[in-house]
Amino acid sequence: EGWCVSARPESIDKLKEPVNLLEANEDQYGIWRNYVNDQLTQYQPLFDMMDYLIMLKVPSFEKIYEWRNLQEKKLLKHCLDNNLDTYNVMNEQQIKRFIMHYERITRHQLHEMPARADLLLTVNNKHKICKVDIKNTK
């Protein structure tokens, strides 16, 4: 279980252009994105050990930000209601920056992973599973 589990590396050509402001401003030469891509290559033998790949497919990348923002608002309310420290609760700018770190991999997964997932659970805009596609029963 995890955001980038079973993510595959992209072709080197796709790494040339930044996908967001973080890459454009802080990785102009593609050093970080090439490093991440190389690490994904190293992880493939581990990912190949998985028996079953389940994907929760979101309607769009933009929903990831929206839903993470909702999570942080709920966390903030919980912390305030219970007199807990709110130091680790992210504001909107922090959420955007956080998500930009995973945008390239996530967009790539949304494009290529549905075809190879053993079980594809499509999630609608209301955060509900609207379609179940069983592709491999192994």
Side-chain angles (χ1 to χ4, degrees):
E1 187 277 320
W3 197 335
C4 297
V5 169
S6 196
R8 290 196 171 155
E10 290 185 271
S11 69
I12 300 301
D13 289 343
K14 293 205 175 188
L15 299 177
K16 291 178 183 175
E17 294 297 320
V19 296
N20 57 37
L21 289 175
L22 181 79
E23 288 187 0
N25 296 333
E26 298 181 33
D27 190 29
Q28 297 97 338
Y29 304 108
I31 294 168
W32 175 251
R33 52 189 178 259
N34 277 284
Y35 173 79
V36 169
N37 213 50
D38 289 343
Q39 295 308 302
L40 284 175
T41 300
Q42 300 299 316
Y43 271 89
Q44 294 312 299
L46 177 65
F47 294 155
D48 289 343
M49 295 172 68
M50 294 184 343
D51 293 326
Y52 206 77
L53 178 60
I54 300 170
M55 179 184 187
L56 289 170
K57 185 179 181 225
V58 297
S60 68
F61 182 79
E62 291 67 32
K63 284 293 177 188
I64 293 170
Y65 167 74
E66 181 183 321
W67 293 344
R68 181 58 190 244
N69 193 31
L70 179 61
Q71 284 178 299
E72 293 296 317
K73 286 179 180 178
K74 288 179 182 179
L75 177 59
L76 177 62
K77 182 180 180 338
H78 172 77
C79 290
L80 293 174
D81 289 350
N82 293 285
N83 288 330
L84 301 172
D85 185 9
T86 61
Y87 177 76
N88 289 322
V89 178
M90 289 188 280
N91 62 37
E92 288 187 28
Q93 291 296 92
Q94 291 168 319
I95 295 167
K96 285 179 183 175
R97 180 172 171 78
F98 172 74
I99 289 175
M100 278 193 276
H101 288 89
Y102 299 93
E103 183 171 353
R104 175 175 294 280
I105 295 171
T106 303
R107 286 188 184 277
H108 183 58
Q109 284 181 293
L110 287 171
H111 174 73
E112 65 82 24
M113 188 180 280
R116 63 185 174 89
D118 298 304
L119 176 61
L120 181 64
L121 303 172
T122 302
V123 181
N124 67 20
N125 286 328
K126 295 181 180 182
H127 226 155
K128 303 290 182 199
I129 294 172
C130 63
K131 184 178 177 189
V132 176
D133 188 4
I134 301 171
K135 297 185 179 188
N136 190 347
T137 56
K138 292 186 181 180

PDB file of all heavy atoms in Angstrom, residues 69-86:
ATOM      1  N   ASN A  69      -6.179  18.428   0.669  1.00  0.00           N
ATOM      2  CA  ASN A  69      -6.556  19.658   1.352  1.00  0.00           C
ATOM      3  C   ASN A  69      -7.687  19.382   2.344  1.00  0.00           C
ATOM      4  O   ASN A  69      -7.666  19.862   3.481  1.00  0.00           O
ATOM      5  CB  ASN A  69      -6.964  20.714   0.329  1.00  0.00           C
ATOM      6  CG  ASN A  69      -7.063  22.088   0.921  1.00  0.00           C
ATOM      7  OD1 ASN A  69      -6.364  22.440   1.852  1.00  0.00           O
ATOM      8  ND2 ASN A  69      -7.942  22.898   0.358  1.00  0.00           N
ATOM      9  N   LEU A  70      -8.648  18.585   1.937  1.00  0.00           N
ATOM     10  CA  LEU A  70      -9.749  18.202   2.821  1.00  0.00           C
ATOM     11  C   LEU A  70      -9.227  17.424   4.038  1.00  0.00           C
ATOM     12  O   LEU A  70      -9.650  17.675   5.167  1.00  0.00           O
ATOM     13  CB  LEU A  70     -10.771  17.365   2.051  1.00  0.00           C
ATOM     14  CG  LEU A  70     -11.984  16.861   2.827  1.00  0.00           C
ATOM     15  CD1 LEU A  70     -12.805  18.015   3.384  1.00  0.00           C
ATOM     16  CD2 LEU A  70     -12.842  15.978   1.927  1.00  0.00           C
ATOM     17  N   GLN A  71      -8.301  16.503   3.803  1.00  0.00           N
ATOM     18  CA  GLN A  71      -7.711  15.746   4.917  1.00  0.00           C
ATOM     19  C   GLN A  71      -7.041  16.676   5.922  1.00  0.00           C
ATOM     20  O   GLN A  71      -7.187  16.505   7.137  1.00  0.00           O
ATOM     21  CB  GLN A  71      -6.649  14.768   4.402  1.00  0.00           C
ATOM     22  CG  GLN A  71      -7.184  13.543   3.730  1.00  0.00           C
ATOM     23  CD  GLN A  71      -6.037  12.683   3.216  1.00  0.00           C
ATOM     24  OE1 GLN A  71      -5.250  13.117   2.375  1.00  0.00           O
ATOM     25  NE2 GLN A  71      -5.947  11.478   3.714  1.00  0.00           N
ATOM     26  N   GLU A  72      -6.282  17.636   5.420  1.00  0.00           N
ATOM     27  CA  GLU A  72      -5.576  18.556   6.314  1.00  0.00           C
ATOM     28  C   GLU A  72      -6.545  19.431   7.095  1.00  0.00           C
ATOM     29  O   GLU A  72      -6.310  19.724   8.266  1.00  0.00           O
ATOM     30  CB  GLU A  72      -4.587  19.410   5.521  1.00  0.00           C
ATOM     31  CG  GLU A  72      -3.424  18.635   4.936  1.00  0.00           C
ATOM     32  CD  GLU A  72      -2.501  18.013   5.974  1.00  0.00           C
ATOM     33  OE1 GLU A  72      -2.160  18.669   6.979  1.00  0.00           O
ATOM     34  OE2 GLU A  72      -2.100  16.844   5.768  1.00  0.00           O
ATOM     35  N   LYS A  73      -7.640  19.836   6.472  1.00  0.00           N
ATOM     36  CA  LYS A  73      -8.646  20.632   7.184  1.00  0.00           C
ATOM     37  C   LYS A  73      -9.287  19.817   8.307  1.00  0.00           C
ATOM     38  O   LYS A  73      -9.521  20.325   9.402  1.00  0.00           O
ATOM     39  CB  LYS A  73      -9.706  21.145   6.217  1.00  0.00           C
ATOM     40  CG  LYS A  73      -9.210  22.278   5.348  1.00  0.00           C
ATOM     41  CD  LYS A  73     -10.265  22.758   4.389  1.00  0.00           C
ATOM     42  CE  LYS A  73      -9.700  23.895   3.536  1.00  0.00           C
ATOM     43  NZ  LYS A  73     -10.664  24.379   2.561  1.00  0.00           N
ATOM     44  N   LYS A  74      -9.557  18.542   8.032  1.00  0.00           N
ATOM     45  CA  LYS A  74     -10.112  17.663   9.069  1.00  0.00           C
ATOM     46  C   LYS A  74      -9.104  17.461  10.202  1.00  0.00           C
ATOM     47  O   LYS A  74      -9.471  17.452  11.377  1.00  0.00           O
ATOM     48  CB  LYS A  74     -10.508  16.314   8.474  1.00  0.00           C
ATOM     49  CG  LYS A  74     -11.745  16.371   7.609  1.00  0.00           C
ATOM     50  CD  LYS A  74     -12.068  14.998   7.025  1.00  0.00           C
ATOM     51  CE  LYS A  74     -13.270  15.023   6.125  1.00  0.00           C
ATOM     52  NZ  LYS A  74     -13.552  13.702   5.542  1.00  0.00           N
ATOM     53  N   LEU A  75      -7.838  17.310   9.827  1.00  0.00           N
ATOM     54  CA  LEU A  75      -6.791  17.156  10.840  1.00  0.00           C
ATOM     55  C   LEU A  75      -6.674  18.416  11.694  1.00  0.00           C
ATOM     56  O   LEU A  75      -6.564  18.330  12.925  1.00  0.00           O
ATOM     57  CB  LEU A  75      -5.449  16.836  10.170  1.00  0.00           C
ATOM     58  CG  LEU A  75      -4.247  16.709  11.098  1.00  0.00           C
ATOM     59  CD1 LEU A  75      -4.453  15.607  12.138  1.00  0.00           C
ATOM     60  CD2 LEU A  75      -2.990  16.448  10.274  1.00  0.00           C
ATOM     61  N   LEU A  76      -6.716  19.565  11.065  1.00  0.00           N
ATOM     62  CA  LEU A  76      -6.645  20.828  11.797  1.00  0.00           C
ATOM     63  C   LEU A  76      -7.810  20.942  12.779  1.00  0.00           C
ATOM     64  O   LEU A  76      -7.614  21.289  13.942  1.00  0.00           O
ATOM     65  CB  LEU A  76      -6.645  22.010  10.825  1.00  0.00           C
ATOM     66  CG  LEU A  76      -6.640  23.392  11.461  1.00  0.00           C
ATOM     67  CD1 LEU A  76      -5.381  23.601  12.305  1.00  0.00           C
ATOM     68  CD2 LEU A  76      -6.755  24.470  10.393  1.00  0.00           C
ATOM     69  N   LYS A  77      -9.009  20.634  12.322  1.00  0.00           N
ATOM     70  CA  LYS A  77     -10.175  20.692  13.203  1.00  0.00           C
ATOM     71  C   LYS A  77     -10.014  19.739  14.383  1.00  0.00           C
ATOM     72  O   LYS A  77     -10.281  20.100  15.528  1.00  0.00           O
ATOM     73  CB  LYS A  77     -11.451  20.369  12.425  1.00  0.00           C
ATOM     74  CG  LYS A  77     -12.714  20.468  13.284  1.00  0.00           C
ATOM     75  CD  LYS A  77     -13.966  20.143  12.512  1.00  0.00           C
ATOM     76  CE  LYS A  77     -15.239  20.228  13.299  1.00  0.00           C
ATOM     77  NZ  LYS A  77     -15.221  20.123  14.716  1.00  0.00           N
ATOM     78  N   HIS A  78      -9.556  18.522  14.099  1.00  0.00           N
ATOM     79  CA  HIS A  78      -9.336  17.547  15.167  1.00  0.00           C
ATOM     80  C   HIS A  78      -8.321  18.072  16.184  1.00  0.00           C
ATOM     81  O   HIS A  78      -8.541  17.957  17.402  1.00  0.00           O
ATOM     82  CB  HIS A  78      -8.852  16.224  14.577  1.00  0.00           C
ATOM     83  CG  HIS A  78      -8.426  15.232  15.597  1.00  0.00           C
ATOM     84  ND1 HIS A  78      -9.326  14.491  16.345  1.00  0.00           N
ATOM     85  CD2 HIS A  78      -7.179  14.861  16.021  1.00  0.00           C
ATOM     86  CE1 HIS A  78      -8.665  13.715  17.182  1.00  0.00           C
ATOM     87  NE2 HIS A  78      -7.364  13.918  17.001  1.00  0.00           N
ATOM     88  N   CYS A  79      -7.241  18.630  15.703  1.00  0.00           N
ATOM     89  CA  CYS A  79      -6.206  19.158  16.607  1.00  0.00           C
ATOM     90  C   CYS A  79      -6.747  20.309  17.449  1.00  0.00           C
ATOM     91  O   CYS A  79      -6.511  20.356  18.664  1.00  0.00           O
ATOM     92  CB  CYS A  79      -4.987  19.621  15.813  1.00  0.00           C
ATOM     93  SG  CYS A  79      -4.040  18.274  15.089  1.00  0.00           S
ATOM     94  N   LEU A  80      -7.461  21.218  16.817  1.00  0.00           N
ATOM     95  CA  LEU A  80      -8.016  22.358  17.546  1.00  0.00           C
ATOM     96  C   LEU A  80      -9.063  21.916  18.556  1.00  0.00           C
ATOM     97  O   LEU A  80      -9.089  22.406  19.687  1.00  0.00           O
ATOM     98  CB  LEU A  80      -8.602  23.376  16.571  1.00  0.00           C
ATOM     99  CG  LEU A  80      -7.589  24.092  15.675  1.00  0.00           C
ATOM    100  CD1 LEU A  80      -8.320  24.956  14.653  1.00  0.00           C
ATOM    101  CD2 LEU A  80      -6.593  24.901  16.484  1.00  0.00           C
ATOM    102  N   ASP A  81      -9.910  20.978  18.169  1.00  0.00           N
ATOM    103  CA  ASP A  81     -10.961  20.483  19.071  1.00  0.00           C
ATOM    104  C   ASP A  81     -10.395  19.746  20.278  1.00  0.00           C
ATOM    105  O   ASP A  81     -11.048  19.657  21.317  1.00  0.00           O
ATOM    106  CB  ASP A  81     -11.918  19.545  18.332  1.00  0.00           C
ATOM    107  CG  ASP A  81     -12.811  20.269  17.335  1.00  0.00           C
ATOM    108  OD1 ASP A  81     -12.841  21.520  17.334  1.00  0.00           O
ATOM    109  OD2 ASP A  81     -13.469  19.575  16.526  1.00  0.00           O
ATOM    110  N   ASN A  82      -9.194  19.210  20.135  1.00  0.00           N
ATOM    111  CA  ASN A  82      -8.611  18.403  21.208  1.00  0.00           C
ATOM    112  C   ASN A  82      -7.359  19.030  21.808  1.00  0.00           C
ATOM    113  O   ASN A  82      -6.567  18.339  22.466  1.00  0.00           O
ATOM    114  CB  ASN A  82      -8.288  17.008  20.657  1.00  0.00           C
ATOM    115  CG  ASN A  82      -9.550  16.255  20.307  1.00  0.00           C
ATOM    116  OD1 ASN A  82     -10.257  15.776  21.183  1.00  0.00           O
ATOM    117  ND2 ASN A  82      -9.843  16.158  19.014  1.00  0.00           N
ATOM    118  N   ASN A  83      -7.179  20.321  21.595  1.00  0.00           N
ATOM    119  CA  ASN A  83      -6.028  21.054  22.138  1.00  0.00           C
ATOM    120  C   ASN A  83      -4.696  20.388  21.792  1.00  0.00           C
ATOM    121  O   ASN A  83      -3.804  20.292  22.626  1.00  0.00           O
ATOM    122  CB  ASN A  83      -6.148  21.239  23.655  1.00  0.00           C
ATOM    123  CG  ASN A  83      -7.205  22.250  24.010  1.00  0.00           C
ATOM    124  OD1 ASN A  83      -7.470  23.182  23.246  1.00  0.00           O
ATOM    125  ND2 ASN A  83      -7.818  22.080  25.168  1.00  0.00           N
ATOM    126  N   LEU A  84      -4.585  19.934  20.559  1.00  0.00           N
ATOM    127  CA  LEU A  84      -3.350  19.303  20.095  1.00  0.00           C
ATOM    128  C   LEU A  84      -2.550  20.282  19.262  1.00  0.00           C
ATOM    129  O   LEU A  84      -3.087  21.230  18.677  1.00  0.00           O
ATOM    130  CB  LEU A  84      -3.676  18.050  19.265  1.00  0.00           C
ATOM    131  CG  LEU A  84      -4.468  16.961  19.984  1.00  0.00           C
ATOM    132  CD1 LEU A  84      -4.887  15.878  18.990  1.00  0.00           C
ATOM    133  CD2 LEU A  84      -3.647  16.369  21.120  1.00  0.00           C
ATOM    134  N   ASP A  85      -1.261  20.044  19.196  1.00  0.00           N
ATOM    135  CA  ASP A  85      -0.369  20.886  18.413  1.00  0.00           C
ATOM    136  C   ASP A  85      -0.745  20.814  16.932  1.00  0.00           C
ATOM    137  O   ASP A  85      -0.983  19.723  16.403  1.00  0.00           O
ATOM    138  CB  ASP A  85       1.070  20.402  18.622  1.00  0.00           C
ATOM    139  CG  ASP A  85       2.098  21.280  17.950  1.00  0.00           C
ATOM    140  OD1 ASP A  85       1.746  22.361  17.445  1.00  0.00           O
ATOM    141  OD2 ASP A  85       3.273  20.880  17.931  1.00  0.00           O
ATOM    142  N   THR A  86      -0.800  21.936  16.268  1.00  0.00           N
ATOM    143  CA  THR A  86      -1.135  21.985  14.841  1.00  0.00           C
ATOM    144  C   THR A  86       0.101  22.208  13.970  1.00  0.00           C
ATOM    145  O   THR A  86      -0.014  22.475  12.777  1.00  0.00           O
ATOM    146  CB  THR A  86      -2.150  23.112  14.558  1.00  0.00           C
ATOM    147  OG1 THR A  86      -1.570  24.366  14.933  1.00  0.00           O
ATOM    148  CG2 THR A  86      -3.452  22.879  15.322  1.00  0.00           C
TER     149      THR A  86
END
